[in-house]
Amino acid sequence: MSTAIIQTLDTPDGAFTILEHEGLVEASGWTADHAALLARLAPAHRPDAIAEGDTEAAVAVTAYYAGDSAAIDAVPVRQHGTALQHAGWEALRGIAPGRPLTYAAFAARLGNPRAVRVAASICARNAPALFVPCHRVLRSDGTLGGFAWGLDVKRALLDRETRRALAQTAS
């Protein structure tokens, strides 16, 4: 039996906790409440043992908040779901920072532009937040929509990434 590692970091958006098992992020989000983070995983997929420690993914989170929006891209994750959900989570990782999509555009990337509810469900079931950037999907009218960790965090992430993308374009 292997032990999962859990680590909470301070970020400009509040406490951010990472659950890493066998080098893969299984859940993460803006909370210091370990039980709330574990609740993002189905009971059958929760680790048997958890210890506080240093995760490999923490380096990427620190780099992300220091200005490198791409630092989160290569962090390995593990999610449990259907083939469509896995395709959706992979597609989320392809959304460029500072260039959010609407749920309809995200659904189109999945091959069915009318499957907006499916697209929203894929975002809602995303356990390793930030590393699989579901925050980059908006309602069709451009408003934020939902986010498990709160709209203030989603807005801050999008604003930060947009500023960085604009700065890169200007230079």
Side-chain angles (χ1 to χ4, degrees):
M1 172 177 77
S2 63
T3 300
I5 304 299
I6 197 160
Q7 180 179 13
T8 301
L9 307 168
D10 290 324
T11 75
D13 298 320
F16 183 80
T17 300
I18 303 163
L19 178 71
E20 196 174 88
H21 190 222
E22 299 171 343
L24 304 169
V25 174
E26 294 196 358
S28 55
W30 289 265
T31 183
D33 181 347
H34 295 178
L37 188 71
L38 286 171
R40 301 288 298 162
L41 299 172
H45 300 297
R46 293 179 190 153
D48 294 325
I50 299 171
E52 290 194 33
D54 294 331
T55 62
E56 294 177 30
V59 173
V61 174
T62 301
Y64 172 86
Y65 277 104
D68 182 2
S69 293
I72 59 172
D73 294 348
V75 172
V77 300
R78 178 184 301 142
Q79 299 209 72
H80 306 278
T82 66
L84 179 59
Q85 287 170 326
H86 280 279
W89 294 323
E90 189 62 33
L92 285 170
R93 293 193 98 175
I95 301 172
R99 303 185 65 78
L101 297 178
T102 64
Y103 286 106
F106 178 53
R109 278 199 181 183
L110 299 176
N112 187 349
R114 294 188 310 222
V116 174
R117 287 180 188 230
V118 170
S121 174
I122 288 168
C123 291
R125 293 186 180 275
N126 178 42
L130 186 62
F131 306 106
V132 177
C134 58
H135 65 273
R136 296 180 185 156
V137 183
L138 307 171
R139 288 184 175 155
S140 295
D141 64 3
T143 58
L144 294 179
F147 188 57
W149 306 108
L151 294 184
D152 289 342
V153 171
K154 183 172 183 172
R155 184 178 298 105
L157 294 169
L158 290 169
D159 288 351
R160 182 177 297 109
E161 291 175 356
T162 299
R163 282 192 309 274
R164 291 175 184 166
L166 290 172
Q168 287 177 346
T169 303
S171 55

